[in-house]
Amino acid sequence: MWMKTVFWGLLLFMLVATTMAVEYGARSHNSGPWSWCDPATGYKVSTLTGCRAMVKLQCVGSQVPEAVLRDCCQQLANINNEWCRCGDLSSMLRSVYQELGVREGKEVLPGCLKEVMKLTAASVPEVCKVPIPNPSGDRAGVCYWAAYPDA
């Protein structure tokens, strides 16, 4: 008798769990707190103009003026959802590449390699001491996409 009770209990649990998963989009590739950062849902991506300037200057080895650093850090901190900060930095980096006409080449600006610019942009949260989610527990303050070759 108890086996039937366990069976029906598990069946009921699976039915409720499946219904909740469908309702909350658990099967979606874009579910979770980062899904709030999707422009398709109405999220407005920050242009991070101060960070654009900072990343370009750092990449070519120039001194970054204090005002530029302050602007970048303030713009990044103003992104209320910390899950969106790395995504906005990635969008900013893609727009810099587009602006400069960077394709598959290695050099973004004279004296600035694409990989260096990517790592510079990914480390902005650490430089600014602005928190970002870090589920893996390692490389706190550095955007996860820096580890991927085509980010």
Side-chain angles (χ1 to χ4, degrees), residues 36-39 42-52 71-81 84-96:
W36 302 320
C37 309
D38 185 356
Y43 174 75
K44 184 173 176 351
V45 176
S46 175
T47 57
L48 299 172
T49 53
C51 296
R52 287 174 78 90
D71 286 349
C72 173
C73 294
Q74 186 61 55
Q75 289 168 5
L76 193 62
N78 284 345
I79 299 171
N80 292 328
N81 185 341
C84 301
R85 291 176 179 154
C86 285
D88 285 9
L89 281 166
S90 179
S91 293
M92 180 268 307
L93 188 61
R94 283 191 306 273
S95 73
V96 168

Side-chain angles (χ1 to χ4, degrees), residues 25-36:
R27 292 176 40 171
S28 168
H29 73 285
N30 199 20
S31 63
W34 54 90
S35 66
W36 302 320

